[in-house]
Amino acid sequence: MSGAAIGMEIPTAEWNDPDAAAPQPQTGIPLSPDSPDLVPPVEPGEPWTDDPYAQALRTGRGPLYLRRVEPHAYGVAELIALDVERWCAAPDAADTSVLRRCAGPVLDVGCGPGRLVAALAARGVPALGVDVSPAAVALTRRHGGAALRRSVFDRLPREGRWGTILLMDGNVGIGGDPVALLARLRDLVRPGGRLLAEAADDDVDQRLTVRVEDAHGRHGRPFPWARVGATGLLHAADSTGWILTGRWSADRTFVELHRADTGFDELPVPQLRAIGRSAPGQRSTRGDATRTRP
């Protein structure tokens, strides 16, 4: 889908990101159900790019996990299950509760295989997905959505003019610093625009180092991540000039935030990021999960 088709001012060369269409590196020989132990280990690669995540998206199924590398804590699960099957399926009732709140144009941050971008396009709502994974971008386009291979911290089309930003499926964890992430998203949305974000169902507020891993132990490099429930998400929102305008549960937990236009415009993004680093025991870094290859 071209930029003109959804009413966006995006140059053709930028829209048709050549990196996104490149052949995907394989993470090992295909899995054999008869001999899973014969799958050789592979050299850890870029997070979300050429690690087992790409293979899971191509097959549409897991199991796939984030393995907690550090910090270790007694009683905390070491593996965090990733819901690959749901990401690769059609939008469910919880997704629909989010989609009907979208006002275009919509930016889906960490769009994955593109179920939400494609659903919005089918409804005639201008939407663009961004993701660091070439496999995710290719699948989004195959499903009828528009997508670019890019980190949310890179230059993006329509900065400051998006009507709605989506932050779903645990993507509040991107970069391991929710305050830095929400500050960046505030720069992307237009005055009065909204952020629809999914929070963890349990009331957690964790800064972790994790890696993507499959059931056979194949994995990518460690990277910073965060797990944030509604309380922690709202604290980060309040620190970065977002106003809570809605909160609901539909099997999963969601909040609707609107951009506040007083008191934060004068603060540069580095200073807003420093707010998140002021809390004891929290570290702020973009890390591997927010970078793309040159």
Side-chain angles (χ1 to χ4, degrees):
M1 181 180 297
S2 69
I6 63 172
M8 293 186 177
E9 302 168 8
I10 303 173
T12 301
E14 180 178 9
W15 185 258
N16 298 318
D17 187 348
D19 201 14
Q24 305 307 308
Q26 298 296 317
T27 57
I29 64 174
L31 298 180
S32 168
D34 299 322
S35 56
D37 293 336
L38 298 181
V39 177
V42 296
E43 187 69 21
E46 288 288 337
W48 307 114
T49 301
D50 51 4
D51 59 18
Y53 176 67
Q55 176 67 16
L57 290 191
R58 284 191 287 267
T59 62
R61 63 181 184 272
L64 193 69
Y65 309 95
L66 292 181
R67 178 176 289 279
R68 179 179 178 141
V69 178
E70 63 177 26
H72 295 288
Y74 177 77
V76 176
E78 190 175 17
L79 290 178
I80 303 167
L82 299 177
D83 202 350
V84 176
E85 288 83 356
R86 178 172 62 78
W87 298 348
C88 293
D92 59 17
D95 293 331
T96 300
S97 75
V98 174
L99 292 172
R100 66 169 177 253
R101 290 172 165 84
C102 290
V106 178
L107 180 69
D108 187 356
V109 175
C111 64
R115 74 187 190 283
L116 301 179
V117 176
L120 288 166
R123 297 177 180 210
V125 179
L128 174 68
V130 293
D131 204 290
V132 297
S133 165
V137 169
L139 283 167
T140 299
R141 293 176 172 181
R142 187 181 305 167
H143 294 153
L148 289 176
R149 185 191 177 195
R150 203 146 307 171
S151 163
V152 67
F153 293 101
D154 292 337
R155 181 181 63 84
L156 294 174
R158 298 187 65 96
E159 296 215 5
R161 292 182 290 155
W162 293 98
T164 303
I165 295 178
L166 297 179
L167 196 62
M168 303 281 284
D169 301 329
N171 284 332
V172 69
I174 289 173
D177 186 343
V179 170
L181 178 60
L182 265 61
R184 170 59 176 154
L185 299 183
R186 186 178 178 278
D187 286 343
L188 295 174
V189 78
R190 69 190 177 204
R194 71 188 66 178
L195 168 63
L196 301 173
E198 181 175 349
D201 290 330
D202 46 345
D203 200 16
V204 296
D205 194 356
Q206 301 173 332
R207 309 295 179 268
L208 310 170
T209 299
V210 298
R211 70 188 188 196
V212 179
E213 186 169 315
D214 67 13
H216 300 284
R218 299 182 304 172
H219 59 85
R221 291 209 315 269
F223 58 91
W225 195 249
R227 293 190 66 239
V228 183
T231 300
L233 178 56
L234 294 178
H235 176 74
D238 186 61
S239 299
T240 50
W242 292 96
I243 299 173
L244 177 67
T245 53
R247 178 174 175 175
W248 73 99
S249 178
D251 292 329
R252 289 138 58 200
T253 302
F254 305 96
V255 299
E256 179 179 273
L257 306 166
H258 276 73
R259 173 181 164 178
D261 294 314
T262 58
F264 286 84
D265 290 334
E266 296 77 15
L267 291 178
V269 169
Q271 186 172 345
L272 286 170
R273 287 178 179 159
I275 297 173
R277 292 194 292 268
S278 63
Q282 296 183 2
R283 55 191 176 85
S284 172
T285 178
R286 285 165 55 177
D288 289 335
T290 62
R291 293 202 297 267
T292 59
R293 291 178 174 176

